[in-house]
Amino acid sequence: INVLKRRQVEKELIKHRDHLEELVAERTRDLRVAADVSKQIATVLDIDTLLQKVVVLTAQNFDLYTALVFLLKEDNQTLAYMTGADSSGQIYAFEAEPREMSIHTRPSLIARAARNLEVVCVNDVTQSPDYWHWSELPETKSELVIPMRLGHQLLGVFDLQAEQLNRSNDQDLRVLTALAYQIAISVRNA
């Protein structure tokens, strides 16, 4: 009986070790991707080129339904849609959606993140009263909105949408928040 128990424990340990190795490999990949995106945008000084590169690389490398960027206008009250891309690298030219929104717009996860200067992570948008349905992005199931800021100064918002429920976890939040900070620095420099 002890031999059987020991074999069972060994199998469980191997299974847990393999799972941990998978998690480490995924996080290493995510960090490498974030570092690569940061490196590729660090030298771009044209704001439009910079933002298009950011959304394409982020959507593709993190396999997102879409990555969007909004920048805060000089009035400090209005977010202007700058660009967005899907996981295939296709740039969005929204026709039906507004190109600008007040940071006081409700419902809006984007405005809420800008208003509160806090990351907003909703893993099931159907359960959020603040979710603003984009008619041109009907497959969104979860959304992660990260303020792009330097200190307490808001520069814009990085909006990441996925077709899967529960897409974002704590590790994703850390990696993508660090990436949003790098984007903010590049936006300021551009």
Side-chain angles (χ1 to χ4, degrees), residues 128-178:
S128 174
D130 286 338
Y131 176 67
W132 175 36
H133 177 76
W134 290 67
S135 61
E136 295 180 73
L137 297 172
E139 302 303 319
T140 299
K141 301 284 188 288
S142 60
E143 188 168 5
L144 175 62
V145 189
I146 306 168
M148 296 184 315
R149 62 187 192 149
L150 296 174
H152 292 292
Q153 180 188 6
L154 178 68
L155 299 178
V157 175
F158 196 31
D159 181 39
L160 309 168
Q161 299 180 25
E163 294 171 295
Q164 305 87 19
L165 294 171
N166 303 310
R167 171 61 171 78
S168 298
N169 58 40
D170 289 342
Q171 293 293 339
D172 293 331
L173 292 174
R174 281 192 282 277
V175 170
L176 292 166
T177 299

Side-chain angles (χ1 to χ4, degrees), residues 42-180:
T43 59
V44 179
L45 294 179
D46 175 66
I47 193 81
D48 294 326
T49 302
L50 166 76
L51 295 177
Q52 283 190 352
K53 200 168 205 173
V54 163
V55 295
V56 168
L57 289 170
T58 302
Q60 288 179 330
N61 288 305
F62 287 94
D63 193 30
L64 296 165
Y65 180 43
T66 186
L68 308 170
V69 172
F70 294 81
L71 291 182
L72 189 65
K73 293 180 71 172
E74 289 181 12
D75 66 4
N76 290 325
Q77 298 295 309
T78 307
L79 293 167
Y81 169 75
M82 299 304 293
T83 191
D86 64 18
S87 61
S88 71
Q90 179 71 38
I91 298 291
Y92 286 116
F94 292 115
E95 303 296 326
E97 306 299 340
R99 307 294 276 178
E100 295 183 350
M101 76 171 67
S102 165
I103 64 170
H104 302 290
T105 299
R106 294 172 200 261
S108 172
L109 299 173
I110 295 165
R112 184 172 114 195
R115 190 172 52 248
N116 298 334
L117 292 176
E118 293 178 352
V119 173
V120 175
C121 180
V122 176
N123 277 313
D124 182 354
V125 296
T126 64
Q127 301 302 309
S128 174
D130 286 338
Y131 176 67
W132 175 36
H133 177 76
W134 290 67
S135 61
E136 295 180 73
L137 297 172
E139 302 303 319
T140 299
K141 301 284 188 288
S142 60
E143 188 168 5
L144 175 62
V145 189
I146 306 168
M148 296 184 315
R149 62 187 192 149
L150 296 174
H152 292 292
Q153 180 188 6
L154 178 68
L155 299 178
V157 175
F158 196 31
D159 181 39
L160 309 168
Q161 299 180 25
E163 294 171 295
Q164 305 87 19
L165 294 171
N166 303 310
R167 171 61 171 78
S168 298
N169 58 40
D170 289 342
Q171 293 293 339
D172 293 331
L173 292 174
R174 281 192 282 277
V175 170
L176 292 166
T177 299
L179 180 58

Side-chain angles (χ1 to χ4, degrees), residues 8-72:
Q8 184 179 9
V9 168
E10 286 174 351
K11 284 181 183 179
E12 285 296 314
L13 286 173
I14 290 170
K15 188 170 103 176
H16 288 298
R17 182 200 66 204
D18 291 346
H19 179 68
L20 286 173
E21 286 175 354
E22 284 178 31
L23 290 175
V24 168
E26 287 175 18
R27 291 307 151 223
T28 301
R29 182 200 66 84
D30 289 349
L31 290 170
R32 189 177 310 115
V33 165
D36 287 347
V37 171
S38 293
K39 186 170 68 175
Q40 289 185 43
I41 65 173
T43 59
V44 179
L45 294 179
D46 175 66
I47 193 81
D48 294 326
T49 302
L50 166 76
L51 295 177
Q52 283 190 352
K53 200 168 205 173
V54 163
V55 295
V56 168
L57 289 170
T58 302
Q60 288 179 330
N61 288 305
F62 287 94
D63 193 30
L64 296 165
Y65 180 43
T66 186
L68 308 170
V69 172
F70 294 81
L71 291 182
L72 189 65

